[in-house]
Amino acid sequence: MILAEGMLKPGALKGKNIILTGGGTGLGRSMGEYFLELGANLVITSRKLDVLEETAQEMMTAKGGKVIPLACDVREIDQVEAMWKAANEKLGQIHVVLNNAAGNFISPTERLSINAFNTVLDIVLKGTSQVTLTAGKDWIAKKQSGTFLNIVTTYAWTGSGYVVPSAAAKAGVLALTRSLAVEWAKYGIRSNAIAPGPFPTEGAWSRLLPGDLVKKFDPAKKVPVGRVGEHQELANLAAYLVSDYSSYVNGEVMTIDGGEWLKGAGEFNNLDQIPEEMWDMMEASRGKKP
Ligand code: HXC
Ligand code: NAP
């Protein structure tokens, strides 16, 4: 099936050293596997070293290349700086940073404790900012070019109830991406983002559609193309955006959601619930005076 096929030519990421936050699970792992297949070396980071070590081993067995697992809570600047130092020591110059780590859960906002709100803000906005600033400062000091790719969401620009800390934080990451795309271009640093629609992962599904909610709110039903995303489809887009083929793409946020957010936005899009017979009746009665 073409949806599960790699798109870039073999060796497209040869020689690229890539740091992938949240790289041990879900979409981070899928993107990492494809980067490896294309010739990159990886540092995968998150809080759980045991998960990272197992994933790294499985990735190298399946795809070859080098995968270094490094524990790093992106909320802790000391850990971020230590991770950056270790990554440079183990792989040499880092060419790409993919900010993918995130935390999220659904809740009416008024039920959230301040710690719950801040936990999500801290992982998503503070964490991404800390990784970005650490990498960017070092690249600029060493006169090295680099590429950032940040994973946001489509509600980064529309907002969304029930995931308010995540929406606020992802909107901040989007602004960070666009701002630095302009400010740091003079140093040879590009910044782009991807806004995925629903892609099934254990991490997202267990927190956003817990229990029976997955049956009640089938995400595929909200997507005009009628399905959720395949991980390889996202990996293809991410590989392009971190490769040199996208050298002229800077400050862009690419949506990959089968048209989901636009369906929610268009005033009359829910008229797709009107059956054909009703359209027939309306057509037949057009122009007929009562
Ligand atoms: C309300 C909750 C909660 C929930 C935790 N809290 N879960 N409040 N509803 N479901 C509260 C806790 O009570 C606590 O507040 C505070 O949040 C911190 O909780 P901890 O468990 O101590 O935090 P921590 O161990 O740091 O874990 C962070 C986490 C967790 C975000 C809560 O879910 C996590 O580790 N997530 C990482 C992976 C993840 O979320 N993946 C999904 C990304 S999906 P108090 O006041 O009690 O101390 C995504 C997709 C978006 O972003 C778009 C989809 C289409
Ligand atoms: P996931 O598997 O839960 O990925 C989140 C990752 O972040 C985990 O590997 C987690 O690892 C890591 N992480 C969480 N807190 C961290 C912290 N404090 N420091 C470092 N790492 C941390 O979920 P996913 O669906 O693949 O999500 C990946 C990205 O895609 C996220 O940015 C998410 O917002 C975005 N996204 C997903 C969807 C979707 O439908 N799946 C849609 C839109 C956007 P540890 O627990 O080991 O730390």
Side-chain angles (χ1 to χ4, degrees):
M1 185 176 57
I2 197 161
L3 303 183
E5 263 176 35
M7 185 183 82
L8 269 74
K9 51 185 172 193
L13 296 180
K14 198 166 179 346
K16 295 259 183 231
N17 294 327
I18 299 177
I19 293 179
L20 220 170
T21 70
T25 64
L27 300 180
R29 177 178 177 152
S30 298
M31 290 187 281
E33 281 173 351
Y34 187 45
F35 297 167
L36 269 186
E37 204 176 303
L38 294 171
N41 294 314
L42 298 182
V43 165
I44 56 172
T45 81
S46 77
R47 294 164 300 177
K48 300 188 192 97
L49 187 59
D50 54 336
V51 173
L52 294 170
E53 283 174 340
E54 200 182 327
T55 301
Q57 208 48 56
E58 287 170 5
M59 282 171 125
M60 285 189 284
T61 306
K63 307 283 178 186
K66 208 187 274 182
V67 184
I68 315 276
L70 291 176
C72 169
D73 186 329
V74 291
R75 294 172 289 191
E76 304 297 333
I77 188 63
D78 293 352
Q79 293 185 35
V80 171
E81 288 175 348
M83 179 276 290
W84 178 255
K85 189 164 174 283
N88 276 267
E89 281 166 6
K90 285 178 191 291
L91 286 186
Q93 179 179 349
I94 302 297
H95 305 96
V96 174
V97 171
L98 201 165
N99 283 302
N100 165 76
N104 202 359
F105 44 74
I106 49 166
S107 173
T109 309
E110 70 278 11
R111 288 178 182 243
L112 291 174
S113 69
I114 196 65
N115 187 38
F117 204 105
N118 285 340
T119 297
V120 173
L121 280 184
D122 282 354
I123 300 171
V124 177
L125 182 53
K126 184 174 147 191
T128 303
S129 305
Q130 294 193 148
V131 174
T132 301
L133 202 58
T134 303
K137 280 182 174 187
D138 198 43
W139 277 337
I140 292 165
K142 291 177 179 161
K143 298 193 171 12
Q144 294 174 348
S145 58
T147 299
F148 288 109
L149 179 60
N150 301 326
I151 305 299
V152 295
T153 59
T154 52
Y155 57 63
W157 53 88
T158 61
S160 175
Y162 304 95
V163 285
V164 168
S166 170
K170 293 283 192 184
V173 173
L174 183 55
L176 179 85
T177 309
R178 288 172 164 158
S179 306
L180 290 179
V182 176
E183 191 183 334
W184 284 355
K186 60 179 177 282
Y187 301 118
I189 299 173
R190 287 192 298 133
S191 300
N192 289 298
I194 295 179
F199 282 79
T201 65
E202 163 65 25
W205 260 224
S206 66
R207 292 173 176 95
L208 303 177
L209 295 162
D212 279 349
L213 281 191
V214 72
K215 287 185 209 135
K216 232 176 173 167
F217 299 101
D218 177 2
K221 290 208 175 111
K222 288 176 60 215
V223 182
V225 302
R227 64 175 175 86
V228 293
E230 288 276 338
H231 285 207
Q232 185 63 45
E233 295 179 285
L234 179 73
N236 283 338
L237 180 57
Y240 167 68
L241 287 174
V242 302
S243 78
D244 295 337
Y245 293 105
S246 63
S247 298
Y248 202 50
V249 181
N250 186 32
E252 187 53 78
V253 49
M254 294 209 182
T255 301
I256 176 165
D257 74 341
E260 185 201 34
W261 88 265
L262 279 170
K263 181 175 175 171
E267 180 101 39
F268 292 98
N269 284 342
N270 59 357
L271 296 193
D272 61 5
Q273 286 162 30
I274 293 185
E276 282 301 311
E277 308 79 69
M278 199 178 287
W279 287 117
D280 289 345
M281 275 163 51
M282 284 192 274
E283 194 177 330
S285 64
R286 242 188 345 245
K288 286 185 191 154
K289 298 245 156 60

